[in-house]
Amino acid sequence: MLTLTLAMVVFAYLLGSVSSAILLCKLLNLPDPRTQGSGNPGATNVLRIGGKRAAAAVLMFDVLKGTIPVWAAYFLGIEPLYLASIAIASCLGHMFPVFFQFKGGKAVATAFGTLLPIGLDLGGLLILTWYGVARVTKYSSLAAIITVSLAPLYTWLLKPLYTFPVLMLSALIIFRHRHNIVRLLTGSEPKIGRNKLP
């Protein structure tokens, strides 16, 4: 089982390292998301520089690269605690992609994808939380921070067995948003739809 888990961790990291934002922007002759907008190669920044369709494509792929390895590991019978290592590997691949000089995004969509196998009810709560906060505040980063902060609570209410793995994943995502937290506190964080930092 340990060998299988390690193999799935490597697979999850490599799949996570495939940056759909960078590849799609190249394919569509859009600016490199690492050098435009917020500088983050993720769906929100692609929305700023490429529009809704490009952002939707990036979002879908980033979700799937979190869901696929966790679903596969679940059906292979890997234990919940080990599923956390696979989920984290997917997110680390997105954050530090081996194929793109280890410069990646915040892994919010990928983290969401890793949580979907727990249940569609959890997925629905996460979507509603993110959408509600983003709609009210216009800050994608704040919506992500609040959503992942509530994810362990939602998981505890719905599937307590997975609470600790989700807590580990949430801590990683919040840590990755540490610079966004500083900008939110100083009022310099860009809102959804704005092209660049002030």
Side-chain angles (χ1 to χ4, degrees):
M1 184 61 70
L2 181 59
T3 301
L4 178 60
T5 300
L6 289 175
M8 290 303 300
V9 165
V10 172
F11 169 68
Y13 173 78
L14 292 176
L15 183 60
S17 291
V18 179
S19 177
S20 58
I22 297 172
L23 294 175
L24 189 66
C25 284
K26 286 184 178 180
L27 182 65
L28 298 177
N29 293 317
L30 295 171
D32 190 325
R34 295 170 294 182
T35 60
Q36 298 290 319
S38 67
N40 179 57
T44 302
N45 198 33
V46 172
L47 175 64
R48 294 187 181 103
I49 63 179
K52 293 181 180 179
R53 289 186 179 180
V58 170
L59 180 65
M60 182 176 65
F61 184 82
D62 286 352
V63 168
L64 285 175
K65 70 184 186 182
T67 301
I68 290 170
V70 174
W71 261 120
Y74 174 80
F75 281 113
L76 288 171
I78 293 176
E79 296 179 9
L81 185 59
Y82 296 143
L83 288 177
S85 64
I86 294 166
I88 289 172
S90 294
C91 294
L92 288 175
H94 184 87
M95 294 174 181
F96 309 104
V98 66
F99 306 123
F100 297 96
Q101 297 79 49
F102 300 100
K103 296 177 182 178
K106 301 289 171 51
V108 175
T110 302
F112 172 74
T114 66
L115 298 178
L116 278 180
I118 295 177
L120 294 179
D121 46 2
L122 175 61
L125 283 172
L126 295 174
I127 291 171
L128 287 173
T129 302
W130 187 93
Y131 180 78
V133 176
R135 182 70 181 267
V136 171
T137 68
K138 306 301 182 185
Y139 287 112
S140 175
S141 58
L142 181 60
I145 292 165
I146 291 176
T147 300
V148 298
S149 296
L150 290 173
L153 174 62
Y154 294 157
T155 305
W156 179 72
L157 292 172
L158 298 170
K159 297 284 183 64
L161 180 64
Y162 297 97
T163 301
F164 183 68
V166 173
L167 184 63
M168 293 170 59
L169 185 61
S170 296
L172 175 65
I173 301 301
I174 292 172
F175 175 76
R176 184 63 170 168
H177 280 79
R178 63 194 184 279
H179 299 305
N180 300 85
I181 293 171
V182 172
R183 290 197 294 268
L184 284 165
L185 292 173
T186 58
S188 58
E189 179 75 347
K191 292 189 176 184
I192 296 172
R194 290 179 59 179
N195 291 327
K196 59 184 178 181
L197 290 166

